[in-house]
Amino acid sequence: CSPSAYECFTINCVTFPSPACMPEQQLLKPSEWSYCDYFWADKKDPQGNGCITGFEVLLQKQLKGKQMQKEMAEFIRERIKIEEEYAKNLSKLSQIPLASQEEGTLGEAWAQLKKSLADEAEVHLKFSSKLQSEVEKPFLTFRENFKKDMKRLDHHIADLRKQMVGRYAAVEKARKALSDRQKELELKTQQLEIKLSNKIEEDIKKARRKSTQAGDDLMRCVDLYNQSQSKWFEEMVTTSLELERLEVERVEMIRQHLCQYTTLRHETDMFNQSTMEPVDQLLQCVDPTKDRETWVRENKTGEIRPVDIEI
Ligand SMILES: *[C@@H]1O[C@H](CO)[C@@H](O)[C@H](O)[C@H]1NC(C)=O
Ligand SMILES: *[C@@H]1O[C@H](CO)[C@@H](O)[C@H](O)[C@H]1NC(C)=O
Ligand SMILES: *[C@@H]1O[C@H](CO)[C@@H](O)[C@H](O)[C@H]1NC(C)=O
Ligand SMILES: *[C@@H]1O[C@H](CO)[C@@H](O)[C@H](O)[C@H]1NC(C)=O
């Protein structure tokens, strides 16, 4: 099944094999779901009249990916703000002097509990600052000139498509010209059958020459079109593989930093718990009897008991 004018069809100036030839085509990267295998046709623009090319579908995916990453950074920023505010509130509360005069072992436990709020605040602050440096910031560092690069690729591929359109139009024109020349030759041949004449024989020679010329022209136009399409094809493959690589990188990068988020969050829980340990220890040492003893020792007013009057 060799592609010829009858075994191919052309959509938007891209030439595809007709279904009869399909079994011959194999994916460039079988079983990889590679970008380079699935975006050859144009697609109806979902929100309107025109068409978008397969390549534009890929570019839109890239731009959306960049936007999603930016929005994730924004989300993490909000998460950071909550931690900071929470830490501020805890730290403020730990400094309020309520019940600061409680005494004895109970007083110590109470003081430690208040201090634990400051420790907890510290934990939350550390969490928020690590979120900032280890999650938010990496999300915000995009590869430089990303949008410009995408635009450049877009123009590059679009220019190649434009060239194909021009050369396809030339093919059509040459095809029409050839068909006209052939008709002319046929006409002359018929005339000659009716009436032999030197003039007509001359005309036939001329028409045959013109027809051959038109055939050569068509071949030349097809050749140029083929070259153009083949260049477009190559650029599509290399560029879509490049976009594919960038997307794998993006997903992997985001995954890694979200893992970092969960790690930091787990750590926060652990530190958070550790701020409670000294409080728990002191609470176990709270001893009302001992507290009474201490307090009595310090505040006693006299141990000689009164007695009855004796006369
Ligand atoms: C911090 O305290 C303020 C009021 O003092 C309150 O409106 C806010 O919700 C608190 N924030 C957090 C995260 O606990
Ligand atoms: C155009 O390309 C086809 C397929 O590669 C090839 O068979 C044909 O000879 C080419 N035609 C010209 C005129 O180059
Ligand atoms: C830290 O522990 C306190 C209770 O001690 C809890 O209310 C708070 O939600 C915990 N914070 C985190 C981030 O685990
Ligand atoms: C009890 O004794 C302590 C230590 O001498 C003292 O600071 C405190 O004011 C006393 N309490 C009263 C009610 O006098």
Side-chain angles (χ1 to χ4, degrees):
C1 168
S2 70
S4 81
Y6 303 103
E7 286 156 356
C8 306
F9 60 96
T10 302
I11 302 176
N12 294 345
C13 305
V14 181
T15 307
F16 299 96
S18 70
C21 302
M22 287 309 268
E24 291 258 313
Q25 262 200 356
Q26 283 195 347
L27 294 175
L28 297 171
K29 298 186 129 210
S31 75
E32 282 191 38
W33 290 97
S34 174
Y35 284 174
C36 74
D37 271 315
Y38 295 96
F39 294 89
W40 291 109
D42 296 342
K43 178 185 150 184
K44 262 222 173 78
D45 188 352
Q47 51 191 269
N49 16 20
C51 258
I52 58 173
T53 65
F55 189 69
E56 279 165 334
V57 173
L58 288 177
L59 282 178
Q60 279 173 12
K61 167 81 174 145
Q62 299 303 109
L63 294 173
K64 186 163 135 196
K66 185 189 157 107
Q67 178 63 20
M68 293 305 100
Q69 187 176 325
K70 207 164 123 196
E71 289 183 17
M72 282 181 195
E74 239 172 79
F75 187 91
I76 297 293
R77 168 100 317 249
E78 292 305 310
R79 183 74 183 82
I80 290 169
K81 280 206 282 230
I82 290 174
E83 288 302 305
E84 284 173 347
E85 197 184 335
Y86 188 61
K88 220 193 285 171
N89 284 2
L90 283 176
S91 157
K92 215 167 32 181
L93 185 56
S94 87
Q95 280 161 31
I96 289 178
L98 288 171
S100 61
Q101 290 182 24
E102 183 54 68
E103 297 167 342
T105 53
L106 180 61
E108 280 168 34
W110 174 246
Q112 184 60 45
L113 189 144
K114 283 174 71 184
K115 181 176 175 302
S116 79
L117 263 62
D119 296 342
E120 229 183 294
E122 197 58 37
V123 169
H124 286 273
L125 267 186
K126 213 169 262 167
F127 178 47
S128 75
S129 102
K130 284 193 167 180
L131 274 185
Q132 203 245 322
S133 62
E134 294 174 28
V135 185
E136 187 200 16
K137 202 156 157 243
F139 280 177
L140 285 173
T141 51
F142 301 106
R143 74 191 44 254
E144 275 194 47
N145 295 328
F146 179 82
K147 268 199 172 142
K148 240 194 234 159
D149 287 348
M150 291 304 122
K151 205 167 241 173
R152 189 174 46 73
L153 291 179
D154 192 15
H155 286 162
H156 180 52
I157 300 288
D159 284 348
L160 292 172
R161 274 297 288 272
K162 252 183 240 151
Q163 192 186 53
M164 280 168 66
V165 170
R167 290 185 174 181
Y168 187 73
V171 168
E172 289 294 276
K173 207 171 141 206
R175 214 198 291 279
K176 169 95 172 41
L178 175 60
S179 142
D180 289 350
R181 293 287 92 89
Q182 279 170 339
K183 264 186 221 136
E184 215 171 280
L185 177 60
E186 229 168 88
L187 202 70
K188 297 283 175 203
T189 314
Q190 278 164 9
Q191 283 173 4
L192 189 67
E193 276 164 15
I194 297 165
K195 174 165 141 296
L196 269 171
S197 114
N198 280 349
K199 163 117 186 22
I200 292 177
E201 263 181 59
E202 246 347 274
D203 283 355
I204 285 178
K205 265 190 206 157
K206 226 193 267 172
R208 194 168 281 139
R209 230 181 307 138
K210 276 188 180 165
S211 172
T212 310
Q213 175 81 45
D216 290 348
D217 273 357
L218 177 59
M219 286 307 271
R220 200 173 41 77
C221 287
V222 169
D223 191 30
L224 284 174
Y225 170 80
N226 276 359
Q227 283 174 26
S228 186
Q229 179 167 259
S230 137
K231 171 89 174 130
W232 171 73
F233 171 81
E234 278 166 25
E235 293 292 308
M236 276 286 282
V237 171
T238 48
T239 314
S240 62
L241 287 177
E242 171 68 9
L243 295 184
E244 181 174 302
R245 190 183 63 76
L246 287 176
E247 177 63 1
V248 168
E249 255 178 41
R250 183 188 79 93
V251 172
E252 187 52 32
M253 180 277 220
I254 289 177
R255 191 190 69 84
Q256 271 173 21
H257 288 93
L258 294 182
C259 283
Q260 185 59 11
Y261 170 84
T262 64
T263 303
L264 289 172
R265 182 63 187 76
H266 285 312
E267 270 177 24
T268 304
D269 273 353
M270 269 145 45
F271 287 130
N272 202 5
Q273 275 168 26
S274 74
T275 65
M276 288 303 124
E277 277 162 19
V279 180
D280 282 334
Q281 277 165 18
L282 286 174
L283 283 174
Q284 270 160 32
C285 298
V286 169
D287 181 348
T289 313
K290 196 169 154 224
D291 280 3
R292 191 179 67 243
E293 180 191 321
T294 313
W295 186 80
V296 170
R297 276 182 197 280
E298 288 174 355
N299 295 275
K300 63 187 182 336
T301 60
E303 52 193 286
I304 309 289
R305 290 185 301 280
V307 292
D308 288 346
I309 295 175
E310 275 178 34
I311 299 178

